[in-house]
Amino acid sequence: ERQQRQQYAAREWQDSPMHHPPDHNKLRLGVVGALGEPYSTELARHFPQVHAVPAAEGGLDALVMWESDFPAVVRAIEHQPELAWVHLRWAGVPAMILDALRGHGAILTNGSGAHGLAVAEYVAMVVLAHYKGLHEMRAAQLRSEWLDGYRLRELRGSRVGIVGLGDLGLNTARALRGFGVRLRGLRR
């Protein structure tokens, strides 16, 4: 009996995932939403072993939320017990995703830090458009009117407050610093 237990334990040990790693040449990536161009082409070019399929298909190794459809992510997690990785493109993770992953062995990652520069450039654009009166000038141009006495404001020397000094806030501060503003930041 002892020998049978030892043989059984040895077979279990040999059959463990540690001795049979996943075949990384055949990774099935479930995608929530449409992974359009150029992303699908770039994924195939850089990672030919990854086969991107709709998240509703079975047998997934990993899942990426490309479009904001949280119920679809929850359904995919619930129907894919072997799912090893879930990635959300955004920085936050909704409670419903955390609840679905509770007790699940999948690794969860998100896009924190991926959008800081793009958002900072957008903020700088909006601030400049506001300070320079872009919308008023464009409206006057469309009416073929000259704005007599119109004065352009300068951003330099202005005080800018940034609430939240995570990735987005710090990148925004860096982008605006080049305009000579006086920065004040507030964090938790």
Side-chain angles (χ1 to χ4, degrees), residues 19 32 39 41 46 63 92 121 123 127 153 164 170 185:
H19 291 94
V32 174
Y39 304 106
T41 301
H46 291 289
L63 177 70
E121 289 173 351
V123 170
V127 168
R153 295 168 53 192
L170 289 176

Side-chain angles (χ1 to χ4, degrees), residues 89 105 185:
R89 287 179 56 202

Side-chain angles (χ1 to χ4, degrees), residues 104-170:
H104 202 286
I107 294 169
L108 174 64
T109 57
N110 65 17
S112 180
H115 307 290
L117 185 56
V119 170
E121 289 173 351
Y122 177 82
V123 170
M125 175 197 67
V126 170
V127 168
L128 286 170
H130 173 73
Y131 260 75
K132 300 301 181 183
L134 180 67
H135 300 297
E136 294 87 356
M137 287 194 298
R138 177 70 177 139
Q141 182 185 32
L142 291 173
R143 294 188 310 267
S144 299
E145 293 178 8
W146 187 258
L147 295 176
D148 288 330
Y150 188 81
R151 294 184 53 190
L152 290 176
R153 295 168 53 192
E154 290 186 10
L155 190 55
R156 181 170 305 283
S158 298
R159 186 173 308 197
V160 175
I162 297 176
V163 178
L165 295 176
D167 181 59
L168 299 179
L170 289 176

